[in-house]
Amino acid sequence: MHGLTSSSTIAHISQAHIPQPYLLFLGDVTDPLSAKTAAGIAQWRPDACLGQLRLNSDTVSLGLPDTSLELARKQGAKTLVIGTANAGGVIPEHWLSTLKQALELGFHLASGMHQRLSDNDTLRDTAAQHHCQLFDVRHHDEPLQVGTGAPRSGLRLLTVGTDCSVGKMYTSLALEQEMRKQGLSAQFCATGQTGILIAGKGIAVDAVVADFISGAAEAISPAFTNHDWDIIEGQGSLFNPSFAGVSLGLLHGAQPDALVLCHEVGRQHIRHLPHKAIPDIADCLAANLAAAKLTNPDAHFVGICLNTSALSHDEAVTLCQNWHQKYQLPVTDPVRFGVSDIVKQLKPAMSAQINTHRTQNENPNKTGDA
């Protein structure tokens, strides 16, 4: 447990939303990939983004209004979000004066960097002085319970993958958006730092001690009856030797009713591991389904989402059609073609039937097994 300051300054994001609207801080980064966190927030939660703050004109732009700290605060911005990442996950020293000024103006600060905001004496003390909160979203210090696998009310969809970085977060957010378009009440549940900044809450499961990963998933999506679906952002892959443990813990804790497999077409091997081949799609479907059934025997796949950026449009269409026939599932590229065919399977009537079954399991008859 990290214990440098009082809980009034260090915020526990799984319990409370990061205050919005945001001002997205881009520093002085010039590589668009370094600003992908801010870009994700701007794409999926545009209404939460008041503008961008850049230290110079060479900095990457998201197309949002450029503004100053003072003006953004007057316009109602509540949290300055560090929307960038670098190789070491370290906050540059020359950014600290801007971050300190933001706190002095009343901004909360949020960061997905490895380096904690709360480890900096100046930022910590300034936040306490001005009654502001520091959100270190990559870290989780709040106590967690181990997972139980006990049935709980509510319907859940989990995205899984053939590897890391194959589109699980994008697919999850696209599914949330499309579900709402089709009349389903859906909620995105974040498990990574960018997703947390988009959702305003969540737990970065790669920062959770292994014994508590399934419990973290249960905490991210507890029992509910006030909406139709939770869409839980997947992490890693059962076939990635480095991160399979995180993936398995999510499969057990998410207790998914529905699964969507994500895959990047053309990837030759597991990311950063050239000695490890990408798994066969059928094997990946089977392994994830077997793992999910430990906590939900009724789990099933409802679709496959592909990153087809390596293919032409016509090639992508043909591949999706061929895989649909081969795997008997809707297959799509969520960027090119959307996810409507997947969501059409999750109709309210089916949702009600599954949820009735789940609720019955959650409250078993007293004459059942002891």
Side-chain angles (χ1 to χ4, degrees), residues 34 85-90 113-114:
S34 297
N86 54 37
V90 175
M113 295 283 203
H114 286 291

Side-chain angles (χ1 to χ4, degrees), residues 193-206:
Q193 64 270 18
T194 300
I196 291 170
L197 291 168
I198 291 171
K201 63 177 182 177
I203 298 174
V205 293
D206 61 0

Side-chain angles (χ1 to χ4, degrees), residues 30-333:
T30 56
D31 178 7
L33 287 177
S34 297
K36 64 180 183 179
T37 295
I41 300 169
Q43 176 177 1
W44 293 106
R45 295 294 186 268
D47 293 344
C49 301
L50 190 146
Q52 63 185 18
L53 176 63
R54 302 187 296 159
L55 294 183
N56 58 58
S57 60
D58 293 329
T59 301
V60 168
S61 175
L62 302 176
L64 296 172
D66 284 300
T67 187
S68 66
L69 286 171
E70 293 85 353
L71 178 58
R73 190 76 181 109
K74 289 179 181 178
Q75 292 176 337
K78 295 181 179 179
T79 302
L80 181 70
V81 175
I82 298 177
T84 66
N86 54 37
V90 175
I91 300 169
E93 284 287 331
H94 66 280
W95 290 7
L96 294 177
S97 61
T98 301
L99 301 181
K100 180 176 183 291
Q101 182 186 2
L103 291 168
E104 291 170 343
L105 289 170
F107 281 92
H108 307 292
L109 296 184
S111 169
M113 295 283 203
H114 286 291
Q115 181 185 4
R116 294 175 186 250
L117 295 165
S118 57
D119 280 347
N120 182 279
D121 291 344
T122 298
L123 296 181
R124 188 177 64 248
D125 293 345
T126 305
Q129 180 182 354
H130 293 274
H131 308 289
C132 299
Q133 291 181 301
L134 304 177
F135 296 92
D136 287 306
V137 303
R138 190 181 284 272
H139 302 273
H140 187 80
D141 297 327
E142 189 177 352
L144 290 167
Q145 303 296 317
V146 296
T148 68
R152 60 194 193 274
S153 58
L155 296 167
R156 294 169 185 84
L157 184 151
L158 173 69
T159 51
V160 297
T162 54
D163 193 10
C164 299
S165 303
V166 290
K168 293 182 288 293
M169 185 191 76
Y170 188 99
T171 295
S172 299
L173 287 160
L175 287 166
E176 178 199 43
Q177 186 178 78
E178 183 61 30
M179 283 183 180
R180 291 177 176 176
K181 284 183 181 178
Q182 294 195 25
L184 294 171
S185 176
Q187 177 175 291
F188 170 71
C189 299
T191 62
Q193 64 270 18
T194 300
I196 291 170
L197 291 168
I198 291 171
K201 63 177 182 177
I203 298 174
V205 293
D206 61 0
V208 173
V209 175
D211 280 358
F212 299 94
I213 293 173
S214 63
E218 292 180 357
I220 290 167
S221 177
F224 64 87
T225 58
N226 62 344
H227 57 284
D228 296 318
W229 287 88
D230 273 356
I231 303 99
I232 300 170
E233 174 193 10
Q235 297 291 334
S237 168
L238 290 180
F239 290 82
N240 186 308
S242 304
F243 309 116
V246 175
S247 306
L248 185 63
L250 275 174
L251 276 160
H252 292 162
Q255 202 176 96
D257 299 281
L259 295 160
V260 173
L261 178 67
C262 303
H263 173 66
E264 180 183 1
V265 176
R267 186 175 295 195
Q268 298 299 309
H269 57 77
I270 296 294
R271 193 179 186 200
H272 304 310
L273 301 176
H275 59 280
K276 192 68 176 176
I278 290 291
D280 176 78
I281 297 298
D283 290 345
C284 202
L285 291 167
N288 279 279
L289 193 59
K293 284 181 177 292
L294 177 68
T295 53
N296 186 354
D298 297 320
H300 63 289
F301 272 94
V302 295
I304 298 174
C305 283
L306 303 177
N307 176 344
T308 64
S309 58
L311 305 179
S312 70
H313 181 275
D314 290 346
E315 288 171 335
V317 170
T318 299
L319 181 65
C320 289
Q321 291 173 343
N322 290 343
W323 280 30
H324 169 64
Q325 294 299 322
K326 183 175 183 178
Y327 300 110
Q328 293 299 296
L329 290 168
V331 180
T332 186
D333 181 326

